[in-house]
Amino acid sequence: MGPHRRYSIHRRKLGPLRTERDRHQPPEVAFARLTTPRHVRYRGNLSQMKAFITGVAGFVGSTLARRLLSSGHEVVGIDALTDYYDPSIKRTNLGTLASDKFSFFEADINSVDLSDLLEGVDFIFHQAGQPGVRSSWGDEFSIYTSANILATQRLLEAAKKRGAIKRFVYASSSSVYGNAESYPTRESDRPQPVSPYGVSKLAAEHLVTLYGTNFGLPTVSLRYFTVYGPGQRPDMAFTRFVKAARTGESIPLYGTGEQIRDFTYVDDVVEANILAATEESTPGSVFNVAGGSNVSMLEVIDLIESISGRPLQIDRLPAVAGDVFRTGGSTDKIRTELGWSARVSLEDGLRNHYEWAQRTFS
């Protein structure tokens, strides 16, 4: 295990979950309510909670950590800093988390002593995993079984033994649906993944649900629909597109470009995580987290060209095995039960993404 830092925390007994009266308050206030005695709530003397974030150096993990740290909470993060993409990008993300309330462990979930890391933790946000549909075929599938399935099972066991976890939030994926039975796809629709990556995410999600229904571990799975925004992984389409708009390099476009995707802005995904942790739900619950955009890749390219004022040079390539033609998630369930809905439009989110590209790429 690599070098790490430890910090002490003053713990308080947790209060009740948010009530209907509080549903419209900012989620960060909800975290304060969870860890603050009633007689001092909303009086400027809010105690902190302690969160454990896996994959904390990644795109969503680091964005979530920044949100929690900015609200005064303590964060323990773990990341193996694998080379699926340039680890220097992950180290840059870690650099934005500098705080005396942040502890980082460079380690593999499958080998580290999790009982030690979970000491005093109230909430687990399991964002870690091996990404990528295209690379999940062939010999590399063993990486996916280890990072996505075995690591999740090991963390669930550690959380069960810990016995005081208030919520275990798992980052699942819309890839579990494959070519879905209907659109917008509901959580009750039959999952039928068409890639080994999707299979690994569904297997891990099933484990998360099983530990909720069998052992009462308060688990929630969030099925992310294509997350984008500043800091998105360099191999993802939107970052490639906005980088190309900035630098003039060409971009690969797989298939016809008529594939339809439901894109979700990263800040909306972070809020979904916070609400999943703070709102009451049945152990083992599953929710879609979808932005509701439902546009084709060609329409995305047109929008980026409009935002940047520059044409994109496109290299057309054959469709890739495991890529679905369409995604689109119903958010009725998460809106009704957790009070979540996407707030950032695709145009506004892409504009933020492009502005980040202007600062990032020369």
Side-chain angles (χ1 to χ4, degrees):
M1 183 165 56
H4 60 268
R5 295 173 294 166
R6 293 179 179 272
Y7 302 96
S8 61
I9 180 172
H10 178 66
R11 299 176 60 203
R12 291 181 182 268
K13 184 177 180 181
L14 292 177
L17 293 171
R18 297 172 75 191
T19 64
E20 183 65 30
R21 173 177 59 85
D22 305 312
R23 189 173 288 275
H24 299 294
Q25 292 177 336
E28 55 266 32
V29 173
F31 268 119
R33 284 183 56 80
L34 280 168
T35 53
T36 306
R38 293 184 180 184
H39 68 281
V40 298
R41 283 181 188 154
Y42 310 117
R43 300 186 185 211
N45 186 26
L46 302 179
S47 62
Q48 288 93 33
M49 53 81 70
K50 188 174 182 179
F52 182 69
I53 302 178
T54 70
V56 72
F59 172 39
V60 176
S62 61
T63 307
L64 173 60
R66 281 194 297 274
R67 173 78 174 270
L68 296 182
L69 290 169
S70 70
S71 299
H73 305 295
E74 183 175 6
V75 173
V76 177
I78 184 173
D79 202 297
L81 301 182
T82 61
D83 61 358
Y84 179 82
Y85 60 94
D86 187 353
S88 68
I89 296 174
K90 302 176 186 181
R91 295 189 185 280
T92 297
N93 290 339
L94 289 173
T96 68
L97 305 179
S99 167
D100 61 0
K101 294 182 178 294
F102 177 62
S103 304
F104 173 63
F105 296 80
E106 182 179 348
D108 186 334
I109 295 171
N110 282 317
S111 58
V112 73
D113 182 356
L114 289 170
S115 61
D116 182 47
L117 297 188
L118 294 180
E119 180 63 32
V121 165
D122 304 306
F123 297 90
I124 296 174
F125 296 95
H126 184 27
Q127 307 294 319
Q130 181 73 1
V133 167
R134 299 179 185 98
S135 59
S136 65
W137 298 95
D139 292 341
E140 292 192 11
F141 183 60
S142 61
I143 300 174
Y144 290 79
T145 58
S146 176
N148 294 350
I149 302 174
L150 297 178
T152 300
Q153 188 272 342
R154 195 165 187 268
L155 184 59
L156 286 164
E157 275 294 315
K160 179 169 72 76
K161 291 175 182 177
R162 166 90 172 85
I165 300 300
K166 302 305 176 184
R167 201 63 49 85
F168 183 114
V169 183
Y170 170 63
S172 187
S173 168
S174 63
S175 292
V176 304
Y177 290 120
N179 291 304
E181 294 179 323
S182 63
Y183 301 94
T185 309
R186 301 179 304 274
E187 293 85 350
S188 57
D189 288 341
R190 179 168 61 97
Q192 44 190 7
V194 296
S195 69
Y197 167 74
V199 169
S200 72
K201 294 299 287 185
L202 181 59
E205 183 190 291
H206 280 330
L207 286 169
V208 172
T209 299
L210 287 172
Y211 274 76
T213 56
N214 284 277
F215 304 114
L217 188 66
T219 65
V220 178
S221 294
L222 302 179
R223 292 174 175 170
Y224 297 169
F225 282 72
T226 314
V227 187
Y228 74 99
Q232 186 193 48
R233 293 197 328 258
D235 61 300
M236 297 291 286
F238 277 19
T239 291
R240 288 184 172 185
F241 292 175
V242 295
K243 180 182 179 183
R246 171 64 174 162
T247 64
E249 62 190 50
S250 62
I251 57 171
L253 181 64
Y254 297 94
T256 65
E258 296 173 337
Q259 305 96 311
I260 296 171
R261 293 290 182 270
D262 196 341
F263 299 103
T264 316
Y265 192 67
V266 63
D267 288 354
D268 285 331
V269 171
V270 165
E271 184 163 347
N273 274 269
I274 293 175
L275 287 171
T278 57
E279 293 291 341
E280 192 167 7
S281 61
T282 302
S285 293
V286 177
F287 298 99
N288 289 335
V289 179
S293 54
N294 294 302
V295 298
S296 71
M297 298 304 292
L298 291 175
E299 290 174 306
V300 169
I301 290 172
D302 286 344
L303 185 53
I304 293 175
E305 288 179 336
S306 175
I307 290 171
S308 66
R310 298 180 179 183
L312 297 180
Q313 304 300 316
I314 300 173
D315 290 336
R316 292 188 175 271
L317 299 172
V320 176
D323 275 351
V324 299
F325 180 77
R326 179 179 180 182
T327 66
S330 168
T331 55
D332 290 345
K333 182 180 179 183
I334 193 172
R335 181 172 57 253
T336 300
E337 297 189 23
L338 302 186
W340 180 91
S341 60
R343 297 180 180 180
V344 181
S345 70
L346 181 61
E347 182 172 0
D348 288 344
L350 272 177
R351 194 174 300 279
N352 292 342
H353 204 153
Y354 178 68
E355 290 174 355
W356 167 80
Q358 288 181 300
R359 299 190 301 270
T360 304
F361 305 113
S362 57

